[in-house]
Amino acid sequence: DNNEIYIHDLNKYAIGFHNCLSIPFDDLLSKGFHTRQGDVRPAGSLNTAMQLVAVIFQLQSLNQFGGVSATHIDWTMVPYFRKSFMKHYIVAWAKEQESFADTDFINMYADTYTDSVGVVRSVFDEWCDKNKATFFESTGLTKEDFTLANKEKLDARCYNSALCDTLQELRQAVEAMYHNLNTLQSRSGDQLPFTSINYGTCTLEEGRLVSRALLLGSLEGIGFHHNTPIFPCGIFPYMKGVNDRPGTPNYDLKQLAMRSTSQRLYPNYANVDWSGNAGYDPNDPRTYFSTMGCRTANGFDINGFGQLKDGRGNICPTTIILPTLAMEAGGDVEAFMTLLDQKIHEAKDTLIERFNWICSQDPRSAPFMWENNTMAGYVPEEGIRSALKHGTLAMGQLGMAETLQILIGKNHTHPEGLALAKRIEELFSKRCNEFKHEYKLNFGVYYTPAENLCFTAMEKFKARYGVIKNVSDRDYFTNSIHVPVWEKMTPFEKIDIECQLTGYSSAGCITYVELPSTTKNNITALEEIIDYAMSHDIPYFAINVPNDTCMNCGYTDEINDACPVCGSESVRRLRRVTGYLTTDYPNFNHGKQCEVGDRVKHIREYLPGCDC
């Protein structure tokens, strides 16, 4: 009521939904899963596995109100790549046998029988089973032999035939997944599930091919006009010694990722070696730093899972509106710090109350989630709290720049403002760490997206305090600790400031830079910016470039009033308003639209007085 603390998504609070989740796809695909209508067998091929990813994403999204993520989809798909490769290899071998040319597959498929458990099958199925058994008896090979690295042990012709067929299957599977994730509906019926996929660290050739296919699918686009996919949010985990520089095994994937970023805005970049993810297991990709596209991340779990990401997520967020506190403190720094400390404790109480309410829900209200253990650690005898305790309670914040302006007359683009910003973040971090140990719950500092709150909080602020220069003379508050969108600076200067604050956030943040046009013809410059962000310990980084598509001919690039190819004025304009991409940013509230309009380009030639 006082515009001090904002409790997010009250309608979802009422029904006991949690926010985000990194789904344990490794388990669901290898063991199968249950739905209300039936069950699904373990995936037996690459194509099936990819389509089940889309199905699982949608099923899980119906049980929550935020994003769903695959933390290492390249590693996850390796066994299914190998399953398909083996199937195609056996078919290639069968085609080499004398009897193959005379086999009557049409009549074989039309003929049926009942197996030992009463299932009606075609004789073709029986032939496939017998052919498979004959193959292994004749060749002496085993299922474990079917890896791409085992080329010397396999027949060259069958190997190449199988690889060609598997790559075609992979391409079609990725294409289908992209189209599925951009057409499936969420529970509200008017949104897509907020999906994210992390890929790029698997150095096995099968995993590398999966990452390459995902990147090529991103570059190709979807639909008649090859539009940029809104979902899934692609995230490339940047990992030292794996894909960061020339000579590392996946550097070629980084180069392809940057091409996709320059044209499609995705992927973003997650810093696997970020200091906040210390202690992760280099041999376990489930512990690599990953995000759910908007910015949500899982920190160290105090309840036993450590840096494990799968099966964990953000349980619920709340946000402290910092400029209100600065005004209530009369602009006095010490009074503000005292009041902020009080509000941090109040925010903690709201998070615990909401957490307990979510824990009180009957697991039968979300059977897919609890019957399939998509949230890790669930013990039915202990109730759903046994799993929820591994998630994150996110303490967010809004309007750092305006707060500093009220308190000392300058924001954190100045040394004095940055020093005070650090002091504020240190308090957030210290208190969340204390709460974490006191309550044995994963409290974490969260840099709130504030899609709507940036405007609604400002409206309340103006009604109470009026228009104050450089504080409330715009229609929005600055997103969390970001450098204000109107401040003119280079990408490196923006990174230099924000990297000194992002380390305090354990529950999720994003740093982005705005570029004036596509960088597809200057990948070297794009790489310099990305490398700079990663070397400065930025945990999650994104590049914003214009992305427009002609809806008449499909031309994609930066388009002004009309398409330069066909002259059409029917243009689809895609922008990153928060962490995800959107084509309907004019439907955001007035404040967010104004914020998008005020964004300056972080490039030297756009700065006044520059003679370069």
Side-chain angles (χ1 to χ4, degrees):
D1 290 342
N2 294 334
N3 204 34
E4 298 169 340
I5 298 175
Y6 182 79
I7 300 172
H8 292 263
D9 300 282
L10 282 175
N11 57 335
K12 305 306 187 298
Y13 188 151
I15 57 177
F17 272 6
H18 76 277
N19 188 8
C20 298
L21 186 69
S22 291
I23 299 174
F25 281 104
D26 294 353
D27 292 339
L28 293 170
L29 294 177
S30 64
K31 298 176 183 176
F33 54 90
H34 301 278
T35 69
R36 184 174 180 179
Q37 290 74 26
D39 53 45
V40 176
R41 295 189 297 271
S45 69
L46 182 58
N47 185 59
T48 299
M50 278 287 188
Q51 302 329 305
L52 288 180
V53 166
V55 170
I56 293 167
F57 266 145
Q58 184 179 36
L59 288 170
Q60 179 58 40
S61 72
L62 298 174
N63 295 280
Q64 56 181 73
F65 65 88
V68 282
S69 171
T71 64
H72 54 282
I73 196 170
D74 47 346
W75 291 92
T76 297
M77 289 296 150
V78 167
Y80 307 103
F81 189 107
R82 290 174 175 173
K83 286 177 183 288
S84 287
F85 177 67
M86 183 183 74
K87 289 181 178 181
H88 292 308
Y89 187 100
I90 293 173
V91 170
W93 176 85
K95 290 178 179 179
E96 298 283 338
Q97 309 309 304
E98 291 184 7
S99 61
F100 187 84
D102 298 322
T103 304
D104 187 351
F105 288 110
I106 292 178
N107 283 328
M108 190 183 291
Y109 198 70
D111 193 8
T112 61
Y113 71 100
T114 303
D115 68 11
S116 60
V117 295
V119 175
V120 176
R121 305 178 70 201
S122 76
V123 173
F124 176 73
D125 294 331
E126 184 180 38
W127 178 88
C128 290
D129 292 341
K130 290 180 178 179
N131 180 68
K132 184 177 179 180
T134 302
F135 166 81
F136 284 118
E137 290 172 4
S138 301
T139 63
L141 295 170
T142 67
K143 293 180 180 180
E144 288 69 32
D145 289 321
F146 289 94
T147 69
L148 296 186
N150 200 30
K151 185 175 183 179
E152 297 302 319
K153 192 174 180 179
L154 302 175
D155 178 82
R157 289 184 62 183
C158 291
Y159 181 99
N160 266 356
S161 175
L163 181 56
C164 178
D165 289 344
T166 307
L167 289 176
Q168 290 189 62
E169 180 182 341
L170 173 62
R171 181 183 181 277
Q172 291 174 341
V174 166
E175 183 179 34
M177 187 187 73
Y178 273 114
H179 281 79
N180 281 334
L181 293 180
N182 285 275
T183 54
L184 294 172
Q185 294 294 304
S186 70
R187 71 202 148 271
S188 63
D190 62 353
Q191 285 186 329
L192 300 171
F194 291 178
T195 57
S196 306
I197 54 175
N198 295 256
Y199 54 84
T201 60
C202 184
T203 55
L204 299 171
E205 195 57 54
E206 294 89 342
R208 284 172 36 78
L209 288 169
V210 169
S211 291
R212 181 169 291 276
L214 290 166
L215 288 165
L216 290 173
S218 173
L219 281 162
E220 183 179 0
I222 59 172
F224 291 108
H225 299 302
H226 300 272
N227 293 328
T228 296
I230 304 297
F231 292 109
C233 172
I235 301 162
F236 190 83
Y238 184 109
M239 190 173 184
K240 292 178 182 177
V242 173
N243 54 32
D244 60 321
R245 64 184 187 281
T248 54
N250 283 2
Y251 180 69
D252 59 330
L253 296 179
K254 179 191 176 189
Q255 291 177 303
L256 188 59
M258 292 185 295
R259 282 179 56 193
S260 180
T261 300
S262 69
Q263 292 179 242
R264 301 295 190 182
L265 287 90
Y266 289 152
N268 304 334
Y269 297 84
N271 192 344
V272 175
D273 298 290
W274 174 51
S275 59
N277 200 48
Y280 78 89
D281 183 353
N283 298 313
D284 187 354
R286 299 176 306 160
T287 69
Y288 295 177
F289 181 71
S290 61
T291 76
M292 282 153 281
C294 185
R295 71 200 60 206
T296 307
N298 291 310
F300 188 89
D301 175 33
I302 195 170
N303 290 311
F305 286 162
Q307 293 291 15
L308 178 72
K309 311 304 179 189
D310 283 16
R312 300 176 56 215
N314 182 7
I315 305 304
C316 50
T318 192
T319 292
I320 296 177
I321 301 167
L322 299 176
T324 300
L325 307 189
M327 292 300 291
E328 290 176 345
D332 180 86
V333 171
E334 298 308 319
F336 167 81
M337 295 301 296
T338 299
L339 182 58
L340 174 60
D341 199 7
Q342 176 188 333
K343 296 303 167 182
I344 288 174
H345 280 79
E346 290 178 12
K348 173 262 296 180
D349 292 339
T350 72
L351 287 169
I352 291 176
E353 181 178 285
R354 186 171 189 174
F355 175 79
N356 288 333
W357 170 243
I358 298 172
C359 288
S360 72
Q361 304 306 303
D362 192 318
R364 291 175 297 179
S365 65
F368 175 77
M369 182 162 61
W370 300 118
E371 289 179 9
N372 295 292
N373 295 307
T374 60
M375 192 172 285
Y378 175 53
V379 179
E381 296 76 19
E382 299 177 12
I384 64 177
R385 184 186 182 96
S386 58
L388 290 164
K389 68 181 182 182
H390 301 291
T392 301
L393 303 182
M395 190 171 297
Q397 54 191 272
L398 177 70
M400 174 65 79
E402 291 83 359
T403 299
L404 298 172
Q405 192 72 41
I406 296 168
L407 295 175
I408 61 172
K410 56 187 70 175
N411 62 38
H412 48 312
T413 60
H414 301 270
E416 302 93 330
L418 185 57
L420 180 53
K422 287 182 181 180
R423 183 181 173 192
I424 293 169
E425 295 310 316
E426 285 171 358
L427 179 61
F428 269 100
S429 180
K430 178 182 178 182
R431 291 293 181 253
C432 282
N433 188 54
E434 291 171 353
F435 300 154
K436 185 172 185 176
H437 287 83
E438 179 180 356
Y439 297 97
K440 294 297 184 287
L441 293 172
N442 295 304
F443 286 90
V445 182
Y446 182 56
Y447 291 160
T448 306
E451 291 98 334
N452 294 314
L453 182 60
C454 70
F455 175 66
T456 56
M458 177 61 85
E459 288 292 281
K460 284 188 174 183
F461 185 94
K462 284 183 178 180
R464 187 172 177 182
Y465 299 111
V467 175
I468 304 170
K469 185 178 181 182
N470 293 327
V471 174
S472 56
D473 51 353
R474 293 177 173 85
D475 291 324
Y476 57 90
F477 280 127
T478 299
N479 185 327
S480 62
I481 55 86
H482 285 183
V483 169
V485 299
W486 60 83
E487 292 283 3
K488 296 180 173 64
M489 60 183 60
T490 67
F492 309 105
E493 290 167 336
K494 187 173 192 289
I495 292 167
D496 283 341
I497 294 170
E498 293 192 6
C499 76
Q500 298 184 60
L501 301 173
T502 52
Y504 295 104
S505 174
S506 58
C509 62
I510 188 171
T511 291
Y512 66 88
V513 297
E514 296 275 346
L515 300 182
S517 61
T518 175
T519 56
K520 66 183 181 181
N521 297 317
N522 195 356
I523 297 297
T524 300
L526 179 62
E527 182 171 24
E528 185 177 352
I529 296 171
I530 294 169
D531 286 350
Y532 192 84
M534 298 295 102
S535 68
H536 283 69
D537 208 32
I538 292 289
Y540 186 41
F541 186 66
I543 301 285
N544 290 348
V545 294
N547 184 280
D548 305 323
T549 300
C550 174
M551 300 309 292
N552 182 54
C553 71
Y555 174 77
T556 298
D557 208 329
E558 182 181 6
I559 301 175
N560 293 320
D561 296 328
C563 174
V565 174
C566 70
S568 172
E569 295 181 0
S570 177
V571 178
R572 172 185 185 257
R573 303 189 186 278
L574 187 67
R575 299 293 183 268
R576 188 196 316 275
V577 176
T578 55
Y580 295 113
L581 306 185
T582 181
T583 56
D584 64 352
Y585 63 92
N587 291 332
F588 277 82
N589 64 34
H590 175 70
K592 184 57 72 174
Q593 290 183 52
C594 290
E595 190 241 77
V596 172
D598 286 349
R599 293 179 181 180
V600 300
K601 306 303 181 182
H602 301 122
I603 198 78
R604 179 73 64 185
E605 66 184 80
Y606 278 71
L607 304 184
C610 178
D611 57 3
C612 56

